Amino acid sequence: MARLQEGPHSSTAAEWPVDALMRAKDTTTVSVVLPARDEESTVGDIVTTIRRDLVERVPLVDEILVVDSNSTDATAERARAAGARVVAQTAVLPHLPPLSGKGEALWKGLAASTGDVVVFVDADLRDFRSHFVTGLAGPLLADADVCFVKAAYERPYVGEDGVPRPAAGGRVTELVARPLLNMFWPELAGFAQPLGGEYAARREVLEQVPFVTEYGVEFGLLVDLLELVGLDAMAQVDLGRRTHTHQSVAALGRMAGQIMHTAWSRLERQGRVLSSEPPAGTLLQFGTDGAGLADITVAERPPLASLVGGRELERRDVA
C-alpha cells in the first residue's frame, strides 16, 4: 500500500489499539458522522458495530450521527434502531437555502455534531469493522500536531457477478484525481485514496475550510487543508480492505466532471490559472437511450466558522 510520501505520519490501523487510544483520549470527544442516502442495507450494521465496540465495550466514541440525505427508503429508521442519532439534512441550519450532494451532507453533519474530533465514514460500506474508526482517530488522539487523517486501503471492484477484483476499484481516482494531484499538488500524491470517504480531523480545522457540496468534496478538502495546515499536519492510515457498492460509468463521468470543476476552482483561487470565462458546466453523455446533458457544476458551503452563531442555532434547530 502506498504511504503518504513514506513520511512520519503514515501508519496502519493495527498500530492504534483501542486501549492505548482510551489512555490518550483524556477529555477529547469523538463524533462519528455518516452521510447516508438510501443505504438501508448497510447503515444499520455499521452503526451497530461502532456502538457495540466503541461505545458500549469502551467509551471511545461519544456520538454516532447519521445525516439522512433525503432518503426514500428506511435508512433513517435502520440507523436510529441501531443506536445512532439521526438528523435530516434539510433540518440542519434550515434558515440556509438547501443544496444537494454528498458534500452538503458532510457539512451539515459537521454542523450538527459536537465532537472535538470528527470521523467521517461512508454509509455504504460492507464488512465494516471498528478499526476503521480507531485507525482514523488514533493519530489525532495521540499527536496534537496531527490535524487531518485520511484512510488508505485496498479497494476491490465487485462487478454484477459478485466477484471482487483486487485493485480494480477507484476508477475516477486513477483516471482523474490522481493525475490532477500529481500535476498541480504533488505534495498530496502520496495519498493512496484521495477520494475515499473515510477520514478524520479536528473540528477546529474542519470549521475553517469550505465544503464543495457535490462529489468534489474530498478533493477540495485535501487541497484546502494542505494550504491551511501543511503536509506535516496530515496523516494516512492503512485500514486494510474496503468493500462497497459501485456506480455506473455514467455516474462516474459526472463525478469526474465535478472533481475537475473543484480542481479548477482551487487553481483559480490560488492564482495558478487565468481564464476569460469559467469552464462549461454541462457534460454531454451518450448512452443506450441517446445523448443527454448532465450538470457537473459544484456549489460550495463556506467555512462553518464564518457563520455567526451557526452552531448555537443548529443545536436548537435539531434538538
Side-chain angles (χ1 to χ4, degrees), residues 218-241:
E218 279 86 16
F219 191 100
L221 284 174
L222 272 181
V223 173
D224 292 343
L225 288 170
L226 175 66
E227 189 171 28
L228 179 67
V229 302
L231 189 65
D232 286 344
M234 303 171 79
Q236 179 170 230
V237 176
D238 187 347
L239 301 182
R241 182 174 178 175

Side-chain angles (χ1 to χ4, degrees), residues 138-153:
L140 294 162
L141 295 175
D143 188 344
D145 292 330
V146 174
C147 295
F148 174 79
V149 181
K150 186 79 173 180
Y153 35 68

Side-chain angles (χ1 to χ4, degrees), residues 127-149:
D127 301 322
F128 176 85
R129 298 292 184 269
S130 57
H131 73 270
F132 271 49
V133 175
T134 55
L136 291 170
L140 294 162
L141 295 175
D143 188 344
D145 292 330
V146 174
C147 295
F148 174 79
V149 181

Side-chain angles (χ1 to χ4, degrees), residues 39 124-126 153-173 193 215 241-252 255:
E39 302 295 353
D124 66 342
L125 301 188
R126 303 184 184 279
Y153 35 68
E154 177 191 349
R155 190 179 181 186
Y157 174 74
V158 181
E160 294 182 357
D161 56 6
V163 177
R165 293 169 175 80
R171 291 165 287 177
V172 175
T173 293
Q193 297 292 345
Y215 278 108
R241 182 174 178 175
R242 177 185 191 267
T243 305
H244 69 123
T245 55
H246 294 274
Q247 299 196 51
S248 67
V249 171
L252 293 177
M255 186 187 303

